[in-house]
């Protein structure tokens, strides 16, 4: 009696029909990375910022804040073959205290500030306090009104009380806090 010929094996499988060890490890690592990215992603509720309905004149009245000059260490050149992603610049701005407040037609209140870093290609904002009341939402958007992120709410608060956003193009970003009715503002 003759035995059937061996079936050709795929190059990505070992003789037991499993992925080779290095391939299994790579797949596990990739799987964990994607899972981790899903767990830490800032989920937003979507929608357009209320401030996009303001006139150019009203938008020009939003207070603007800029950090001080870059320190020499911040402007150091990158070694050959290196890559510099960005510079973290600290800025003390309290959106609740320092923002321009407007009452919207539907009774909500909107506070806005512009954060600017001259010469930046993109900006991301990290809030060191993220304490929002129920129903409050935050949008961030570029001054050209071409891109926005949000709406973010209290559920976006990290365990340490902070919240960080994705990058927005340009050297300025509008931070917009919208509160329902007469709800206390919280901290942002």
């Amino acid at each position: 009696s003759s035995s059937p010929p061996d079936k050709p094996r795929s190059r990505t499988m070992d003789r037991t029909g499993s992925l080779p060890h290095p391939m299994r490890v790579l797949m596990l690592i990739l799987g964990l990375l994607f899972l981790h990215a899903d767990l830490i992603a800032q989920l937003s509720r979507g929608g357009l910022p209320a401030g996009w309905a303001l006139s150019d004149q009203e938008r020009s009245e939003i207070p603007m804040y800029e950090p001080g000059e870059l320190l020499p260490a911040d402007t150091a050149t990158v070694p050959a073959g290196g890559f510099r992603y960005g510079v973290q610049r600290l800025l003390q701005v309290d959106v609740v205290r320092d923002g321009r407040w407007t009452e919207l037609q539907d009774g909500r209140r909107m506070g806005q500030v512009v954060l600017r870093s001259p010469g930046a290609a993109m900006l991301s904002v990290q809030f060191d306090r993220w304490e929002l009341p129920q129903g409050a939402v935050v949008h961030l958007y570029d001054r050209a009104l071409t891109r926005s992120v949000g709406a973010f709410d209290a559920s976006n608060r990290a365990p340490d009380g902070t919240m960080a956003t994705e990058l927005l193009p340009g050297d300025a970003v509008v931070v917009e806090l919208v509160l329902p009715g007469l709800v206390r503002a919280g901290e942002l």
Side-chain angles (χ1 to χ4, degrees):
S1 88
S2 67
S3 61
D6 285 13
K7 291 183 182 175
R9 285 186 227 130
S10 167
R11 291 178 179 236
T12 59
M13 301 287 181
D14 68 12
R15 65 179 169 221
T16 64
S18 299
L19 290 172
H21 176 71
M23 185 70 87
R24 285 192 303 257
V25 171
L26 177 61
M27 295 303 285
L28 177 64
I29 290 171
L30 289 175
L32 290 175
L33 285 175
F34 287 121
L35 176 63
H36 178 68
D38 283 345
L39 293 176
I40 63 169
Q42 286 299 346
L43 301 176
S44 68
R45 295 181 7 190
L48 292 176
W52 281 17
L54 296 177
S55 69
D56 290 342
Q57 173 64 36
E58 290 171 310
R59 276 195 301 279
S60 72
E61 297 169 0
I62 300 171
M64 184 179 307
Y65 298 90
E66 296 180 7
E69 294 296 316
L70 285 173
L71 301 174
D74 293 333
T75 59
T77 58
V78 178
F83 177 77
R84 183 174 192 162
Y85 180 73
V87 176
Q88 184 175 11
R89 301 185 69 192
L90 301 178
L91 183 60
Q92 296 288 332
V93 177
D94 182 329
V95 177
V96 175
R97 180 192 65 221
D98 302 327
R100 176 183 182 269
W101 285 91
T102 305
E103 185 165 336
L104 302 173
Q105 290 180 350
D106 61 6
R108 296 179 300 158
R109 295 174 295 144
M110 175 177 62
Q112 298 171 299
V113 297
V114 175
L115 306 179
R116 184 167 181 261
S117 184
M122 296 184 184
L123 294 175
S124 174
V125 179
Q126 175 149 1
F127 298 90
D128 65 349
R129 291 184 322 258
W130 187 264
E131 302 294 336
L132 298 179
Q134 187 68 26
V137 294
V138 174
H139 277 96
L140 288 89
Y141 54 92
D142 66 333
R143 293 187 69 199
L145 307 181
T146 60
R147 171 130 184 199
S148 70
V149 295
F152 301 113
D153 59 20
S155 69
N156 293 102
R157 181 184 183 275
D160 65 355
T162 64
M163 200 290 250
T165 69
E166 64 187 81
L167 291 166
L168 282 166
D171 71 351
V173 62
V174 178
V175 179
E176 174 181 292
L177 168 63
V178 176
L179 300 169
L182 298 175
V183 171
R184 186 179 158 277
E187 294 183 76
L188 187 64

